[in-house]
Amino acid sequence: MLARHWAVFWVCMGAVFLVTMDATLQPLALVSIEEGFGTSRTATAWVLSAYSISLATFVVAAGRLADRSGRKQAFLLGLALFVLGAVGGWLAPELWVLVLCRAVQGAGSAFVMPASIGLILAVWPEDDQTRAITNWTAVGGIAGALAPLVGGGLIDIWGWRAAYVLSVIIGAPSFLAARTLLTDTERKVTSRFPDLVGAFMVAGSLGLLTLSLVQGRTWGWSDPRIIVAFALAVVLIPLIRQRILGHPAPIVEPRLLKLRTYRRALFIATAIPSFLFPYFVMMIQYLEQVWDYRPLKAGLALLPFPAVATLASVVAGHLSRRFDERTITIAAMTMTTLAVVWLRLVPGSDPAYWQEYFLPIILGGIGGWGMGLPMINAIGARDLDNETYSLGMGVLSTARQVGALTGLAIVFGLLGNVSDAELANRFNQVWTVLIVLSALGVAAALSLPRRSIL
């Protein structure tokens, strides 16, 4: 008979597979979306930004709601929102409708991801939880490996809407299976309703910051709209802090910030994704926009990335028994920095995949994505117990999304809406900025506390 912790694991993995596959497909679909709606590059970037903002906004509130109603209910709600958002995206007549549906999917992901890891860790043996986290990441890596092959082909044939059809086809049966098979793995606790006002204040600040970064170069940094947006984003920060300190159920629990290791993990969870996520998205954009790869060809070109990331995450789980997570993270971030330096110095405007692009794909897959991200989760989980898993991992997820959103806004702002002839030069600027962000990620990894190895 299948052990209980493995049964819970595989039920949760259906939804994690769906969410991760979608995250891999969206960058492949951006050029097709831009062509389909006839919109600008910066406007299309909101397909990614709306998802990240919504995810960052609701993920902590989702953790608190999971504590009130149970992780199963939170998991099912999130999966339902994600599938409904996919249906809306499939049928979207305008770009703004698609962006709205992506925000709905982001909210769904906010419930699914922390609830899934919370359900798993609650029943997993305490002395082997790093392995649970790396296995959780590995299944996501498998989804990432299949998405370019399957989804890229569908987008190539039927256009970007195929990505949303695929999410519906996978998501609807996953919801039915979870509803039938999954049981709550923790007692529900009496708690106050989460601070949704504070959550929407975070959404507002992130949205205004994203607007100023994405449109700053296109509209001009002195444009009144950019100045006002950036000023409002900054003004909201102290107000958000006041809400956190004064609300009985804040978006970030102050007591979590008193945990030294967890506090450091939050810092690195913001710093590292600020270049990891843009790195992956920009590699796809370079293939499609500079080398004129179609989605299927770009997906096949990126296929080694999630494949080696999946293998590396499993290896990282075994290495964590011998080496502390800090050492593994530093090595992972250094590898990814070298990959970004290669992208800045080597690839030209003429396609030369094996000579110029294959190496950074392998280095980035093994390094930051395969070994770095799982270690961030493992480090963050050190100070958490069963009562704080959902909330604590939710805050970590928020930190990752804030970092990813900021990095994506910067690089899409750098690309702007220039002509195809100028794209290669703009990408050189993107790689230069990512080198700086990756170096900061290495510095963040160096700040992590060590773990004693018994």
Side-chain angles (χ1 to χ4, degrees):
M1 182 177 179
L2 189 64
R4 185 184 181 213
H5 62 285
W6 279 111
V8 171
F9 178 87
W10 288 116
V11 170
C12 291
M13 283 304 99
V16 172
F17 184 94
L18 169 65
V19 171
T20 307
M21 181 197 69
D22 172 85
T24 307
L25 278 181
Q26 292 305 315
L28 283 170
L30 284 182
V31 173
S32 178
I33 293 172
E34 183 181 332
E35 294 171 351
F37 287 123
T39 55
S40 66
R41 189 175 296 112
T42 53
T44 309
W46 282 97
V47 173
L48 299 181
S49 298
Y51 181 92
S52 295
I53 292 171
S54 182
L55 177 54
T57 298
F58 291 108
V59 71
V60 176
R64 289 194 177 276
L65 288 173
D67 290 337
R68 287 170 57 94
S69 61
R71 291 171 187 151
K72 175 184 176 180
Q73 297 304 317
F75 183 83
L76 290 174
L77 173 61
L79 190 51
L81 285 173
F82 196 91
V83 174
L84 288 174
V87 172
W90 171 16
L91 303 174
E94 302 287 345
L95 179 63
W96 70 267
V97 178
L98 177 60
V99 170
L100 180 62
C101 291
R102 287 297 293 162
V104 172
Q105 287 191 290
S109 180
F111 282 87
V112 167
M113 299 304 278
S116 67
I117 192 64
L119 285 164
I120 292 167
L121 291 178
V123 297
W124 205 272
E126 290 186 5
D127 60 348
D128 197 26
Q129 291 193 341
T130 295
R131 182 184 174 202
I133 293 170
T134 53
N135 287 340
W136 181 76
T137 306
V139 171
I142 294 172
L146 292 176
L149 180 62
V150 178
L154 293 176
I155 293 170
D156 219 9
I157 298 171
W158 288 300
W160 61 268
R161 295 183 192 272
Y164 296 91
V165 175
L166 188 60
S167 290
V168 175
I169 291 173
I170 296 175
S174 297
F175 176 82
L176 295 176
R179 185 180 180 186
T180 302
L181 300 176
L182 203 62
T183 58
D184 269 325
T185 55
E186 90 295 340
R187 63 182 179 85
K188 301 169 188 178
V189 298
T190 302
S191 61
R192 293 180 180 271
F193 199 77
D195 181 18
L196 294 183
V197 173
F200 282 110
M201 289 171 67
V202 170
S205 182
L206 291 175
L208 291 165
L209 176 63
T210 301
L211 175 65
S212 61
L213 291 175
V214 170
Q215 298 293 154
R217 191 164 190 172
T218 301
W219 292 351
W221 293 108
S222 60
D223 188 292
R225 293 171 293 180
I226 298 299
I227 295 173
V228 171
F230 187 78
L232 289 175
V234 173
V235 167
L236 281 171
I237 293 175
L239 298 178
I240 293 169
R241 179 179 181 276
Q242 186 177 356
R243 294 285 304 187
I244 290 174
L245 296 177
H247 197 278
I251 54 173
V252 177
E253 182 61 59
R255 63 190 173 97
L256 289 177
L257 301 180
K258 296 179 182 179
L259 303 173
R260 179 174 177 268
T261 300
Y262 184 81
R263 189 169 61 247
R264 296 284 186 86
L266 278 179
F267 172 63
I268 194 171
T270 305
I272 290 178
S274 71
F275 76 89
L276 279 185
F277 285 83
Y279 169 76
F280 178 73
V281 172
M282 286 298 109
M283 281 201 301
I284 295 174
Q285 298 309 298
Y286 190 92
L287 289 173
E288 291 190 345
Q289 297 190 39
V290 178
W291 284 4
D292 293 324
Y293 277 27
R294 296 296 302 167
L296 176 58
K297 189 175 182 180
L300 290 173
L302 265 292
L303 189 59
F305 187 95
V308 297
T310 301
L311 295 175
S313 66
V314 175
V315 173
H318 293 289
L319 289 176
S320 66
R321 298 180 180 182
R322 184 172 183 181
F323 304 97
D324 72 286
E325 293 95 340
R326 176 183 180 272
T327 301
I328 299 172
T329 305
I330 292 170
M333 294 306 101
T334 302
M335 291 178 65
T336 310
T337 300
L338 293 174
V340 182
V341 171
W342 177 282
L343 288 171
R344 173 61 182 86
L345 298 177
V346 177
S349 56
D350 296 324
Y353 173 77
W354 292 106
Q355 299 92 332
E356 300 179 356
Y357 226 71
F358 184 70
L359 181 60
I361 287 174
I362 297 299
L363 288 177
I366 293 175
W369 284 82
M371 303 177 73
L373 290 180
M375 292 302 102
I376 295 173
N377 289 334
I379 292 166
R382 283 187 203 171
D383 291 339
L384 303 179
D385 54 31
N386 188 45
E387 293 296 328
T388 57
Y389 274 138
S390 289
L391 182 59
M393 299 307 287
V395 174
L396 274 179
S397 181
T398 297
R400 283 197 301 272
Q401 290 305 314
V402 169
L405 179 65
T406 303
L408 286 170
I410 291 172
V411 296
F412 274 109
L414 283 174
L415 282 183
N417 296 318
V418 298
S419 64
D420 292 344
E422 297 180 57
L423 268 178
N425 180 57
R426 286 290 178 92
F427 268 102
N428 283 335
Q429 297 177 29
V430 167
W431 302 135
T432 300
V433 169
L434 289 182
I435 289 171
V436 175
L437 292 176
S438 64
L440 293 175
V442 175
L446 288 168
S447 73
L448 288 170
R450 296 182 182 273
R451 173 176 61 88
S452 298
I453 306 295
L454 299 179

